Amino acid sequence: MKYLKSIAFSLLFIVNFIVSQPLLAQTMPQNLSNVNVNELSDGQIRQLMQQAQSAGLNDQQLLQEAANRGMPQEQIQNLQKRILILRKSNNNAANSSDTLSSQARRLNYKPDTIPDTLNNLKNRADILNTLQPKIFGADLFRNKNLTFEPNLSLATPINYILGPNDQLNINVYGNSVVNWKLSVSPEGNINIPGIGLLNVSGKTIEIATLIIRNKLIAANYAIGRGTNVQVTLGNIRSIKVIIVGEVVKPGTYTLPSLATVFNALYAAGGPGDNGSFRQIEVIRNNHIIRRLDIYDFLLKGEQKDNIRLEDQDIISIPTYRIRVEMTGEVKRPGLFEVLPGETLKDIIGFAGGFTDQAYTDLIKVSQISEQQRRLTDVPEADFSNYIPLRGDKYTVEHILNRYENRVTIKGAVFRPGEYELEKGLTVSRLIQKAAGLKEDAFTGRVGITRLKSDNTIEQLSFNLGDIINKSAVDIPLQREDIINVSSLFDLRGKYKVSIKGEIRKPGDFIYADSMKVADLIIKAGGFTEGASPKRIEVSRRVFDSDPKVKNSRIAQVYSVNVGADLKADDANFTLKPFDNVSVYSLPGFEIQKTVKVEGEVVYPGYYTIEKKDEKISDIIARAGGLTVFADIEGSSLKRDNTAILGIDKTKNDSTTLTLNKERAERMKRLQRSYMDSTKTDTTQFRNNYIGINLKKILDNPGKGDDLIVEDNDVLRIPKQQQVVRVNGEVLYPSAVVYTSGKTFKDYVLNAGGFSPVALKSGAYVVYPNGTVNGTRKFLFFNNHPKVKPGSEIYVPRKPVTKGTSLQDILGFTTGLVSLVVLFITIKKL
């Protein structure tokens, strides 16, 4: 793609060579070897990005162009980083374009236009010019919103000189009424109907009006006796203007006859890189009639020398004589042209003056001294006397980032911050300026961080309380002293108390002095329904535990009775920081627990557990027993993981909730581990099913197999099963109709047989009641389990084994040889 673009660019260059040769001479790439990207502003980088986008270049092409123009690799990397940062934060809106309104007066010719190909060449050549110092005034003639187009709707200037192709509007009104629109012929004549030819070329509108008026009077139009005549300029002609010298696009330009010098300069792109902006010459009839200084317009808005052009005028732009560069803390850094008699003070004015952060006492000047450069310091008193020299570069530096009279106070004062170091300022006076100490200020030891004369730091400490009480000498402060007054709360742990158990909002609470147990219970939202207010324990830290005694006390425990209405005497038990309060449940309090029975029972549904030892047989009996379609061997009991792990979901204290969460997460990890090792989907993992033998339970109720039911148990009695599912590493996993007498292998063959990676010895059967039976090994034979209706056969995949490489063999052999050598050595000893 890049190669194709290069070919296209070359073709465009050849096609437009003759026309664009002056243009390319002015816009050839400049040397970027001395550019420091870190010195460029964000605005300059954004301008560079916008110009690249306009020219159709992406970021990589832009960086390549910079490399081609001599930019060092380090600076290219810096430029790339700056572009990436600005693209992330770029919210610039697209520039709006002006809409030209229609004009009553029009041109009598087609204006010159610059071919798009030449514009593209110029844009691509100028993209990286934003990295160079900007020539002051160059943007004036490259601003699309400022064209210096002459206003064709203005009243006709009385000094306008007529010429061929101009149009005159002659309006006779009063006793006689007639309107003529007459064009000036190449010979300079107009043909008035009924009167004849009249030469007006080279005459002003004012003189032409007098001539036409006299001709009409001579033709008996009674001008002045009730009839008047008005002559105005209609459509205007074009003029040819030649622009030569150090201009961006030299050549001959066709312009409106109302055009000024600025119109012509804009059409030609303005002065080039080496052109003068301050000594532009207008030549007419081989004589210089005016010299134009563009700085007058840029700095003062004056256009006294912006005269109207005439046909065959020549605009000559010479090279500049002296140009200097102003950088640093000025409002308009760039390159400025200097005329004889101007000083450094004038250049500062050209640059818009200093910024608010400028160091104005001294300007550094980099001068050209024969074969090298030299530095000169110009003090502020000599700004008006220093005469700029060729190639001068002025640098205005930033003020120092330091304070000559600053002190700082931090911490437990009402107005911390930076303050003026006034004469005789002391610690106590600074605290007064900071509105005084806060109530929690620790005055026993306050520190001053002081900057020593060698810029190292020292720490001074003192008792602020003694200074406040005037029992110690006040401390005078120095520049950049930092006083830090600590808070009591910063010097100790955050005091808190905690409450757990049968409380509505268990957790940690901020401790307050004189806090009572009842206060903490109220903060925690009060008791739950099953809380016991008569037995609450408060555990407290001890600080006198003997580490040499095995049974030494490590906590002090108090048992309190606050009463249901929090009015008992113990309700006012005073807490201390870090106390733990435990609220226990009432003995015998239980919430309802339910069991769901579904499937083939007479009354399926939810059943509340009546007794703690209620069993499966009891629930089946309460459900009316089994129906005639029940598959008793396929019955199953589903129990939540929380119930299997012994977690009581009715408990809502933080400790129980944390334990529940940890146990549940542990079960999930076990489940994921199992599935990863066997490549089993979630439907195969049935860790929450408990294998039961319902037939044995109902035949022997209350015996060992008759389990005690738990909350949220689901007892499922399915219909008689008729299929067997075969999954895993078989060729065609499917459901096979159960047939009495079929073996394990028969069902696998009905599913296409084992796959090449099947682990036959690891195959197992999951029965409808949740029990699992695996394959047993006898000598070299696999003894597969029996298959029942509703069962699921699963064949796992063989584990992936890593082959023995040459490196493994060499490692094993080396290790073995080392052991042999070691054994022989020991034996000889």
Side-chain angles (χ1 to χ4, degrees):
M1 188 65 182
K2 183 176 179 183
Y3 177 72
L4 294 177
K5 285 186 177 180
S6 177
I7 294 177
F9 183 84
S10 301
L11 291 175
L12 289 174
F13 179 82
I14 294 171
V15 171
N16 296 288
F17 176 79
I18 297 176
V19 179
S20 63
Q21 187 174 5
L23 165 65
L24 295 178
Q26 296 294 333
T27 59
M28 284 297 290
Q30 301 181 20
N31 185 7
L32 300 179
S33 59
N34 295 323
V35 171
N36 187 348
V37 175
N38 293 330
E39 294 180 357
L40 301 178
S41 65
D42 288 348
Q44 289 175 297
I45 301 295
R46 287 194 180 95
Q47 183 180 0
L48 172 67
M49 294 161 59
Q50 291 171 359
Q51 291 183 358
Q53 184 177 4
S54 301
L57 297 179
N58 58 33
D59 291 349
Q60 292 300 321
Q61 292 170 330
L62 174 62
L63 297 174
Q64 183 60 46
E65 183 71 17
N68 295 339
R69 295 174 66 173
M71 180 178 285
Q73 185 62 33
E74 179 183 0
Q75 298 300 324
I76 292 176
Q77 294 175 356
N78 292 340
L79 178 60
Q80 185 177 24
K81 293 178 182 177
R82 293 282 298 277
I83 291 175
L84 291 175
I85 292 172
L86 289 177
R87 287 208 182 280
K88 292 180 180 178
S89 60
N90 187 15
N91 295 320
N92 292 336
N95 293 329
S96 59
S97 58
D98 293 336
T99 303
L100 296 176
S101 59
S102 61
Q103 306 286 344
R105 181 181 291 159
R106 296 187 299 274
L107 301 176
N108 263 345
Y109 68 97
K110 184 177 181 181
D112 289 340
T113 58
I114 304 172
D116 289 341
T117 53
L118 297 186
N119 276 330
N120 289 338
L121 290 174
K122 176 180 180 299
N123 289 339
R124 294 174 72 95
D126 283 348
I127 287 173
L128 293 173
N129 284 347
T130 56
L131 302 181
Q132 297 280 31
K134 184 181 296 185
I135 300 174
F136 179 60
D139 289 343
L140 180 66
F141 302 104
R142 297 162 193 174
N143 186 351
K144 295 181 180 180
N145 297 323
L146 184 65
T147 62
F148 297 104
E149 286 283 341
N151 189 349
L152 303 182
S153 298
L154 290 175
T156 303
I158 59 176
N159 61 348
Y160 178 80
I161 298 176
L162 296 171
N165 289 328
D166 275 340
Q167 184 186 69
L168 290 178
N169 296 331
I170 303 175
N171 181 18
V172 179
Y173 59 95
N175 294 331
S176 299
V177 178
V178 64
N179 289 310
W180 293 310
K181 293 183 181 294
L182 306 177
S183 296
V184 180
S185 69
E187 292 77 19
N189 299 321
I190 59 173
N191 189 358
I192 303 177
I195 296 177
L197 297 177
L198 181 64
N199 188 277
V200 295
S201 180
K203 299 176 176 63
T204 65
I205 284 288
E206 184 178 22
I207 295 174
T209 300
L210 290 176
I211 295 174
I212 293 170
R213 179 185 178 88
N214 292 335
K215 280 289 186 181
L216 292 176
I217 292 174
N220 296 321
Y221 269 90
I223 302 298
R225 299 189 301 275
T227 301
N228 294 304
V229 63
Q230 182 183 34
V231 179
T232 59
L233 184 65
N235 294 339
I236 61 176
R237 72 183 189 279
S238 66
I239 60 174
K240 296 289 186 181
V241 176
I242 302 172
I243 306 178
V244 297
E246 295 298 325
V247 64
V248 173
K249 303 186 291 289
T252 300
Y253 287 85
T254 302
L255 302 172
S257 55
L258 294 175
T260 65
V261 180
F262 277 175
N263 301 140
L265 290 175
Y266 181 82
D273 291 343
N274 296 321
S276 172
F277 281 74
R278 308 196 62 186
Q279 293 181 317
I280 298 174
E281 300 172 345
V282 181
I283 302 172
R284 185 175 295 164
N285 298 325
N286 297 322
H287 296 285
I288 298 175
I289 64 170
R290 195 67 57 95
R291 281 189 172 88
L292 178 67
D293 187 346
I294 297 177
Y295 280 23
D296 289 339
F297 175 73
L298 293 173
L299 300 174
K300 309 173 191 175
E302 294 181 0
Q303 298 192 59
K304 63 180 185 296
D305 295 322
N306 185 27
I307 62 175
R308 190 162 47 249
L309 299 172
E310 294 185 8
D311 194 38
Q312 299 305 315
D313 276 356
I314 298 174
I315 298 176
S316 176
I317 302 179
T319 59
Y320 67 84
R321 294 183 181 178
I322 297 178
R323 181 182 286 171
V324 298
E325 181 180 355
M326 178 72 76
T327 64
E329 294 300 321
V330 290
K331 296 176 182 176
R332 243 187 338 250
L335 298 173
F336 300 92
E337 187 176 346
V338 183
L339 297 181
E342 293 178 336
T343 65
L344 176 57
K345 183 177 180 180
D346 297 312
I347 299 173
I348 295 173
F350 297 160
F354 298 111
T355 66
D356 296 338
Q357 304 297 319
Y359 173 65
T360 61
D361 287 352
L362 187 76
I363 292 181
K364 294 182 178 179
V365 184
S366 174
Q367 299 174 329
I368 295 177
S369 176
E370 297 181 355
Q371 297 184 13
Q372 55 189 345
R373 301 192 74 91
R374 63 187 298 268
L375 291 177
T376 300
D377 296 335
V378 181
E380 186 175 11
D382 293 338
F383 288 173
S384 301
N385 302 322
Y386 180 84
I387 304 300
L389 303 175
R390 175 181 62 89
D392 276 0
K393 181 176 180 179
Y394 309 104
T395 302
V396 180
E397 295 187 339
H398 195 284
I399 60 174
L400 299 178
N401 187 23
R402 59 179 289 170
Y403 290 84
E404 62 182 20
N405 62 340
R406 177 178 65 175
V407 291
T408 305
I409 186 168
K410 301 179 179 180
V413 292
F414 285 104
R415 293 186 179 277
E418 298 172 348
Y419 290 89
E420 175 192 359
L421 177 62
E422 57 192 24
K423 186 176 181 180
L425 185 66
T426 62
V427 169
S428 60
R429 176 58 186 151
L430 179 58
I431 291 174
Q432 292 177 9
K433 295 178 73 172
L437 297 172
K438 289 184 178 180
E439 294 80 0
D440 58 319
F442 176 70
T443 60
R445 191 174 184 85
V446 174
I448 296 179
T449 303
R450 175 160 292 174
L451 191 66
K452 298 170 65 175
S453 58
D454 60 354
N455 275 352
T456 58
I457 295 175
E458 66 174 337
Q459 182 71 29
L460 305 178
S461 300
F462 58 93
N463 189 317
L464 181 58
D466 292 344
I467 293 178
I468 294 174
N469 297 330
K470 298 183 179 180
S471 59
V473 179
D474 209 346
I475 300 176
L477 297 178
Q478 300 180 10
R479 185 183 72 86
E480 296 296 350
D481 275 358
I482 301 175
I483 301 177
N484 190 4
V485 181
S486 299
S487 167
L488 292 174
F489 302 117
D490 296 334
L491 302 177
R492 70 184 188 191
K494 188 176 181 180
Y495 284 179
K496 63 179 181 178
V497 290
S498 63
I499 185 168
K500 303 174 182 178
E502 296 299 325
I503 203 78
R504 294 181 64 241
K505 297 177 182 178
D508 296 334
F509 295 87
I510 296 176
Y511 171 79
D513 287 341
S514 302
M515 177 182 281
K516 313 298 182 184
V517 171
D519 298 327
L520 181 58
I521 292 172
I522 292 174
K523 282 180 175 290
F527 295 120
T528 62
E529 182 184 8
S532 173
K534 296 181 179 181
R535 191 176 184 276
I536 296 176
E537 279 192 355
V538 179
S539 61
R540 180 167 296 166
R541 293 180 177 179
V542 297
F543 301 92
D544 57 354
S545 178
D546 188 351
K548 297 181 180 180
V549 179
K550 289 185 177 180
N551 61 345
S552 62
R553 186 185 298 273
I554 60 174
Q556 185 72 39
V557 179
Y558 303 90
S559 181
V560 297
N561 176 8
V562 299
D565 54 1
L566 301 179
K567 293 183 179 180
D569 293 340
D570 288 345
N572 292 321
F573 181 87
T574 303
L575 298 175
K576 290 187 177 181
F578 308 110
D579 278 357
N580 290 333
V581 179
S582 299
V583 181
Y584 301 104
S585 60
L586 286 169
F589 175 79
E590 295 284 348
I591 64 170
Q592 297 92 330
K593 299 178 181 180
T594 58
V595 175
K596 184 181 180 182
V597 182
E598 57 185 24
E600 296 301 317
V601 293
V602 177
Y603 299 106
Y606 291 92
Y607 291 85
T608 301
I609 300 175
E610 295 181 353
K611 299 177 296 183
K612 287 188 175 182
D613 62 346
E614 194 160 10
K615 298 189 176 183
I616 294 176
S617 60
D618 300 326
I619 297 297
I620 294 294
R622 291 173 60 186
L626 307 179
T627 68
V628 295
F629 299 103
D631 181 8
I632 192 169
E633 291 187 353
S635 300
S636 62
L637 176 65
K638 181 181 178 182
R639 179 165 291 174
D640 289 343
N641 291 333
T642 53
I644 295 173
L645 295 172
I647 298 174
D648 187 354
K649 296 195 295 181
T650 65
K651 303 295 183 182
N652 63 349
D653 62 89
S654 59
T655 303
T656 304
L657 292 174
T658 302
L659 181 60
N660 292 356
K661 184 177 180 180
E662 291 176 353
R663 289 176 176 174
E665 287 296 328
R666 185 162 64 249
M667 182 57 68
K668 288 181 180 179
R669 288 195 298 269
L670 291 172
Q671 179 177 343
R672 285 195 298 268
S673 175
Y674 177 86
M675 289 189 294
D676 290 342
S677 63
T678 60
K679 306 297 181 183
T680 311
D681 58 40
T682 55
T683 60
Q684 299 295 325
F685 194 85
R686 304 177 63 178
N687 67 307
N688 55 350
Y689 281 86
I690 299 176
I692 60 173
N693 188 335
L694 187 59
K695 185 177 185 307
K696 187 175 181 181
I697 290 173
L698 296 181
D699 290 341
N700 301 285
K703 302 300 182 181
D705 292 330
D706 196 359
L707 301 179
I708 297 174
V709 292
E710 299 283 354
D711 188 26
N712 290 324
D713 277 356
V714 178
L715 187 59
R716 185 174 181 275
I717 296 90
K719 286 185 178 181
Q720 295 177 356
Q721 303 293 306
Q722 299 179 357
V723 296
V724 174
R725 290 177 175 80
V726 185
N727 288 313
E729 293 302 325
V730 292
L731 296 179
Y732 193 79
S734 57
V736 182
V737 176
Y738 174 79
T739 303
S740 178
K742 271 190 176 182
T743 64
F744 182 97
K745 289 186 177 180
D746 293 332
Y747 288 107
V748 171
L749 289 174
N750 287 144
F754 293 107
S755 72
V757 294
L759 182 61
K760 300 177 183 179
S761 61
Y764 57 88
V765 176
V766 180
Y767 296 108
N769 65 350
T771 58
V772 181
N773 197 359
T775 300
R776 291 178 173 82
K777 193 81 172 177
F778 178 73
L779 297 178
F780 300 102
F781 304 100
N782 293 324
N783 187 12
H784 295 295
K786 181 180 179 182
V787 180
K788 297 180 181 180
S791 300
E792 180 176 1
I793 297 173
Y794 189 82
V795 182
R797 177 188 291 264
K798 289 180 180 178
V800 178
T801 57
K802 182 180 178 182
T804 304
S805 63
L806 178 60
Q807 184 177 0
D808 295 335
I809 295 174
L810 291 175
F812 176 77
T813 304
T814 303
L816 183 60
V817 171
S818 300
L819 289 175
V820 171
V821 172
L822 180 62
F823 176 76
I824 294 173
T825 303
I826 294 172
K827 188 174 181 181
K828 288 182 178 180
L829 293 176

